[in-house]
Amino acid sequence: MKPGKRNLITDVPGLLVGNSRDDTLKSGVSVLLGRETFTAAVHVMGGAPGTRETDLLAPDKTVQQVDALVLSGGSAFGLDAASGVADGLRAQGRGFAVGDQRVPIVPGAILFDLLNGGDKSWTENPYKPLGAAALANAAEDFALGTEGAGTGATTRSLKGGLGSASLVLDCGITVGALVAVNALGDVTGNGPEFWAGPWEFGDEFGGLGPVRQHDPGAEPGFKHGQATTIAIVATDAALSQAEAQRMATAAHDGMARAIVPAHTPYDGDLVFVAATGARPLPDQILTPMALGHAAATCLARAIARGVYSARPAPADPVPCWAQKYRPTVPARN
């Protein structure tokens, strides 16, 4: 396996990502858009999720395809971002056909960033227009770090962010991940090295190697209800909803590799899967195993890349990785 051309989730053909952010609000929205509808599934392992339209992603439900997936800041207020995306898709004539009406199917998930130093004194929910703006920005290339749903994200000791990564399997199938990292746990040990270090390709998040020092007795940054890492893993493989859900389950291993601790009762950690169906599975037994491994690897790397790329902003409650560690990391030859 090797990273795709962009090392982004949009290396999966037919997928676009749009981001919007409000720096005063310290929050934002990310949208994964398919040029065509795609099969989607979800798996939740955190104890405090916030979601929209996830029930219909179960394998026994009537609607098997969706138009877009939304990740948003804003806690429950951020669920309204999907309404802005749905309005934009409806204006494009997209959506599930019901008679002469089109109903865009837009599942979404949110993270808690209401206490991150931003101005939250709005009188009207700002997330619907942020969702519409993210949809309008959908493209193959996009920035990481303090962008989209990761704009105001934090971890226990560092600023969080928006991350992405990709892998191309030997059989030609592509897997990618998009994640907004906002966790009670840490993504590094006691130094600059990332827990995801063993799965790094090249120096995509510094090339620092595995964690060298950590305190196994360190307590997570307990902030009741103030976390959640939300992610999308995508592939061009042809998967049923049940197969996509199994891939989402396997992808959670990547979250556990990159965040310590992960999946706490106070994180709403979840993973969506988007499968465009362009490539049949070469092997019905071995390929799904490879897809699960690739999904976990991509998600771990994407988490580290999101935190590594975060930028400082006024009133941040914690430093970003570059502020804390860049002066101490020797220059690479």
Side-chain angles (χ1 to χ4, degrees):
M1 297 187 291
K2 60 182 180 181
K5 179 175 66 174
R6 300 179 185 85
N7 200 15
L8 299 173
I9 196 172
T10 48
D11 284 325
V12 176
L15 296 182
L16 307 171
V17 168
N19 291 311
S20 63
R21 72 173 196 266
D22 183 323
D23 291 333
T24 301
L25 185 67
K26 273 188 180 290
S27 192
V29 174
S30 298
V31 176
L32 181 79
L33 176 68
R35 296 188 187 276
E36 306 290 340
T37 58
F38 53 86
T39 299
V42 68
H43 190 259
V44 181
M45 288 192 70
T51 60
R52 163 182 160 141
E53 295 271 49
T54 50
D55 282 355
L56 64 79
L57 300 182
D60 63 329
K61 299 302 185 288
T62 299
V63 177
Q64 297 286 301
Q65 301 273 306
V66 309
D67 296 284
L69 296 170
V70 176
L71 307 179
S72 178
S75 189
F77 300 103
L79 293 174
D80 207 30
S83 296
V85 175
D87 283 354
L89 290 171
R90 187 172 187 265
Q92 297 173 21
R94 294 189 56 165
F96 185 73
V98 184
D100 63 352
Q101 294 296 309
R102 291 278 178 172
V103 183
I105 307 300
V106 186
I110 50 87
L111 56 81
F112 187 101
D113 59 2
L114 297 181
L115 301 177
N116 63 0
D119 182 1
K120 307 301 194 296
S121 61
W122 66 74
T123 56
E124 184 174 348
N125 190 320
Y127 286 95
K128 186 174 181 179
L130 280 170
L135 177 66
N137 291 334
E140 291 182 335
D141 292 307
F142 58 95
L144 304 183
T146 308
E147 301 288 346
T151 296
T154 59
T155 71
R156 178 180 180 271
S157 59
L158 294 171
K159 194 168 181 177
L162 186 75
S164 191
S166 70
L167 282 174
V168 181
L169 281 63
D170 292 343
C171 65
I173 288 175
T174 301
V175 173
L178 178 73
V179 60
V181 187
N182 189 67
L184 287 181
D186 273 317
V187 297
T188 62
N190 289 358
E193 300 87 8
F194 289 89
W195 287 111
W199 291 274
E200 185 176 16
F201 281 80
D203 60 355
E204 60 186 345
F205 44 90
L208 304 173
V211 167
R212 293 173 173 82
Q213 297 179 5
H214 72 99
D215 177 6
E219 294 292 329
F222 184 82
K223 298 173 290 182
H224 184 75
Q226 298 173 35
T228 296
T229 295
I230 46 180
I232 303 169
V233 171
T235 181
D236 53 357
L239 301 179
S240 67
Q241 273 195 321
E243 291 168 330
Q245 188 176 56
R246 176 49 48 188
M247 185 177 175
T249 303
H252 274 285
D253 288 352
M255 203 175 289
R257 294 172 187 174
I259 301 170
V260 179
H263 307 136
T264 77
Y266 308 103
D267 288 288
D269 299 341
L270 64 78
V271 178
F272 289 110
V273 164
T276 66
R279 287 179 173 268
L281 300 183
D283 188 299
Q284 294 296 319
I285 296 175
L286 296 179
T287 306
M289 294 172 61
L291 288 174
H293 172 58
T297 301
C298 277
L299 183 50
R301 293 163 50 225
I303 288 168
R305 294 189 79 203
V307 174
Y308 180 74
S309 302
R311 305 183 302 275
D316 282 345
V318 289
C320 66
W321 184 93
Q323 283 176 302
K324 187 171 182 179
Y325 292 120
R326 180 68 71 192
T328 68
V329 175
R332 293 173 60 86
N333 295 327

